[in-house]
Amino acid sequence: MTDDGKRYRLSRRRVLAGLGGVGLASAAAGLGTSAYLTDTESFEDNTITAGTLDLKVDWEEHYSYPQIYGFEDPTAGLDVTRSEPADTSSYTALPDPNTPMVWVHDDDLDAYMDNTAIEAYPDQDDDGIQESFNMGDVGSFCADGADTPSDLDPTEGFRTQNEDTMGASEPNPLVNLNDVKPGDFGELTLSFHLCDNDGYVWMQGDLVEANENGITEPEGNSSDAGPSDETVTDLQGGDVELLDEVQTALWYDGDCNNVFSAGGGGSTDGEEADVVIVLDRSGSMSGSAITQAQNGANSLIDALGPNDQVSLVSFADDVSLDEGLTTDHNAVQNAVNAISTGGGTNMEAGVEQAHEELFAADEFGSAYGESGNARSGARKIVVFLSDGNANEDSGVTDSPSEDPVNEAGNLKSDNAEVFTIAYGSGAPTGTLGDMASDPASNPEDQYAFDADTSDVESVFQGIGGTVGSGGEEPIFRGTLRESLVELTAGDGIALDGDTSTEERACFTASQTSCVGFAWWVPTDVGNEIQSDSVAFDLGFYTEQCRNNDNPGS
């Protein structure tokens, strides 16, 4: 109340006007504080992206009677026999060393395998022989590895296109054999790759259908003939004889060469290897020479076990460590495919860089870099290819010498094994022979090779099978019915990413892993199989490795 006794009344308009004044005063005060020191930190554009686990496959299939598809006799001019040789030490038994159908002399094995290859993926020239990834129109495993069933179409992708793969109206299945006889055999090596993440892998299969397809007159005279109209879809029953007469073998094909090697293959006792591939990229290696050498180096890498490390060194006037020792074999293959040619031939520097990488002990001070990934307990191996005489000096040791033999000697003194390939007619076979390790230390081994563009890939692949720790271990042997029972049970046959340990291991992303599947019809099988047919599935299943304590559950 005021002094004059009158009540002071606030209208709504006056209240709003007053609040407006307060607001203006606050705004003015805010302008007055803008000179203080301030700071803002922000974390913007945060994302969470789900990872991927993508399984890719590729393959090469062989059949002992490819003539049915128009091929020539695969044994013509080769030492191949169905009778066991008196001395089997120089022969390879196929398709299973435990129960051979043929023996092929080791000198003729590559030719025989090429002659019996009926289809592959990738195969751009349709000759049935598998080609390397990252070559021609084919990209990396994860870009152009096969997804099924889409990539089974030869007209759309990189599967061989021939009488075996092309049906009248649609592509044929992977195994498509219509005239099998006793004594026939075949083999399929399936290769798989995990993209982006490690994973557990199972091999799976199932019976689609087995049919008697009637009884021929000779089959009817057989005491083993079953009902003429029988169709079987259950592995637990039925009498379709072919299902029980076809014999099979599954194995880890450590060098991915479609051959089940007796004695395990690979290096002794599964010893892991550190391998440095040294490639000449001088000007004389241009054109097809470097392309074939790249194919060969990639074949060697494919033949290594998942725990083998590999590195790439290349040289011309200079030398470079293109990829340090790693179990990421795909990364090294990418480096191999990226090589370009030009310049002189500094062989000495190539040997020295390999020495530095393998032993990670500053062998040459600061002259060469190293990845630091060399392992003290691993087998140390150098595979060295050159096509010409040394004409550049490294300037690091015994300058101005251009002779790499002394440096190779130092490498061997540190217990490294040196394999050399004299590539082409101009290669210095004497120098490269002196650089190589002495085969007298192991008479069964060979360390110095001569090769040209037509056979350098097989030379590299053979070295890979010798030095790799991948090994060849059986997974299962039995009839086709018994194999399918194993492949059907649960999640299938659990595959092991590292067979050198007792515990089952995951498969590493970007690694190449191969499983061989061989089949054969023994010669003592009789008429009871006439006209029988079997259709079946094969495949792989994967689960992520990370955070998975109970795989397959």
Side-chain angles (χ1 to χ4, degrees):
M1 184 175 291
T2 61
D3 291 342
D4 60 4
K6 294 181 179 178
R7 187 179 300 272
Y8 185 79
R9 302 178 66 87
L10 290 176
S11 67
R12 181 171 180 272
R13 180 176 298 176
R14 288 178 177 176
V15 170
L16 291 175
L19 291 175
V22 171
L24 289 173
S26 298
L31 289 171
T33 63
S34 63
Y36 288 117
L37 297 178
T38 63
D39 185 22
T40 300
E41 306 288 352
S42 64
F43 298 90
E44 300 176 352
D45 298 326
N46 302 292
T47 63
I48 297 177
T49 303
T52 63
L53 178 60
D54 193 7
L55 179 65
K56 299 285 190 177
V57 292
D58 58 83
W59 60 85
E60 184 174 285
E61 183 187 2
H62 294 254
Y63 183 29
S64 64
Y65 192 74
Q67 296 95 314
I68 198 170
Y69 299 117
F71 290 75
E72 300 294 330
D73 178 0
T75 67
L78 305 181
D79 187 352
V80 180
T81 176
R82 286 187 175 268
S83 301
E84 182 174 354
D87 180 8
T88 60
S89 62
S90 58
Y91 286 81
T92 297
L94 299 174
D96 180 354
N98 279 13
T99 50
M101 302 298 289
V102 299
W103 286 261
V104 182
H105 195 280
D106 292 341
D107 291 343
D108 293 330
L109 181 60
D110 289 338
Y112 181 78
M113 296 306 291
D114 285 350
N115 292 348
T116 56
I118 58 173
E119 74 151 289
Y121 185 103
D123 179 18
Q124 297 175 89
D125 58 8
D126 296 321
D127 64 354
I129 301 171
Q130 188 177 40
E131 298 163 0
S132 298
F133 285 86
N134 292 303
M135 301 300 289
D137 294 330
V138 182
S140 67
F141 297 126
C142 292
D144 286 328
D147 290 315
T148 58
S150 58
D151 286 317
L152 288 175
D153 187 348
T155 65
E156 298 294 333
F158 300 117
R159 184 186 181 191
T160 304
Q161 185 171 346
N162 62 14
E163 291 183 29
D164 172 52
T165 61
M166 289 299 298
S169 59
E170 61 183 16
N172 287 327
L174 185 54
V175 179
N176 180 57
L177 303 170
N178 298 314
D179 189 31
V180 171
K181 302 289 196 297
D184 283 1
F185 63 93
E187 189 278 341
L188 172 68
T189 284
L190 295 163
S191 174
F192 61 87
H193 321 269
L194 297 177
C195 299
D196 301 323
N197 277 286
D198 301 346
Y200 295 100
V201 177
W202 290 257
M203 189 171 185
Q204 300 181 324
D206 200 3
L207 174 67
V208 177
E209 189 174 85
N211 285 285
E212 191 68 41
N213 295 317
I215 299 291
T216 65
E217 180 265 330
E219 185 179 4
N221 293 331
S222 170
S223 60
D224 296 324
S228 63
D229 59 350
E230 185 169 24
T231 297
V232 175
T233 58
D234 183 359
L235 287 167
Q236 304 307 316
D239 295 316
V240 177
E241 293 81 17
L242 190 64
L243 192 57
D244 297 300
E245 297 297 350
V246 172
Q247 304 297 310
T248 64
L250 290 167
W251 74 95
Y252 294 104
D253 192 357
D255 53 10
C256 301
N257 71 343
N258 295 78
V259 175
F260 192 175
S261 301
S267 61
T268 308
D269 299 326
E271 180 185 9
E272 295 172 353
D274 282 353
V275 181
V276 178
I277 300 172
V278 184
L279 294 182
D280 184 344
R281 54 174 165 82
S282 61
S284 58
M285 286 287 293
S286 61
S288 62
I290 191 62
T291 299
Q292 296 299 328
Q294 289 168 317
N295 288 342
N298 286 329
S299 295
L300 185 155
I301 295 168
D302 282 339
L304 299 178
N307 295 317
D308 293 329
Q309 293 194 130
V310 62
S311 168
L312 175 67
V313 169
S314 64
F315 65 89
D317 294 326
D318 58 354
V319 67
S320 59
L321 178 62
D322 300 306
E323 188 70 41
L325 285 166
T326 177
T327 57
D328 186 352
H329 296 174
N330 195 43
V332 184
Q333 289 179 318
N334 287 337
V336 167
N337 296 328
I339 289 177
S340 58
T341 58
T345 308
N346 195 338
M347 295 170 66
E348 185 182 34
V351 178
E352 290 171 344
Q353 176 65 78
H355 198 163
E356 185 75 13
E357 177 63 13
L358 274 181
F359 292 93
D362 289 328
E363 297 284 339
F364 304 97
S366 60
Y368 301 108
E370 62 187 40
S371 69
N373 294 334
R375 300 170 294 188
S376 59
R379 188 178 173 195
K380 306 294 187 181
I381 296 160
V382 172
V383 181
F384 189 102
L385 176 144
S386 184
D387 76 332
N389 289 292
N391 55 27
E392 296 285 343
D393 169 41
S394 72
V396 176
T397 57
D398 50 45
S399 183
S401 172
E402 298 170 358
D403 183 7
V405 175
N406 184 57
E407 292 309 315
N410 294 334
L411 187 57
K412 290 181 285 186
S413 295
D414 282 340
N415 296 318
E417 299 168 71
V418 180
F419 293 79
T420 60
I421 302 173
Y423 189 39
S425 58
T429 54
T431 296
L432 288 163
D434 291 340
M435 289 170 59
S437 295
D438 183 1
S441 63
N442 186 349
E444 295 184 359
D445 286 344
Q446 183 179 357
Y447 291 91
F449 299 84
D450 297 336
D452 56 28
T453 55
S454 65
D455 61 6
V456 68
E457 186 169 354
S458 63
V459 170
F460 266 115
Q461 189 176 62
I463 295 172
T466 299
V467 305
S469 67
E472 310 255 320
E473 294 192 22
I475 298 172
F476 184 81
R477 287 182 170 104
T479 67
L480 179 55
R481 184 194 298 268
E482 291 167 341
S483 291
L484 292 175
V485 167
E486 292 294 318
L487 292 165
T488 303
D491 289 308
I493 296 176
L495 302 179
D496 191 352
D498 182 4
T499 58
S500 66
T501 62
E502 293 185 4
E503 298 295 326
R504 182 190 178 194
C506 297
F507 286 84
T508 304
S510 300
Q511 286 295 113
T512 298
S513 303
C514 294
V515 173
F517 172 76
W519 64 269
W520 63 98
V521 182
T523 54
D524 59 2
V525 172
N527 288 325
E528 64 269 19
I529 68 169
Q530 285 201 32
S531 74
D532 292 3
S533 64
V534 178
F536 59 95
D537 294 335
L538 289 176
F540 296 102
Y541 164 68
T542 186
E543 285 183 10
Q544 70 180 60
C545 187
R546 193 169 74 206
N547 305 325
N548 191 355
D549 294 331
N550 192 17
S553 61

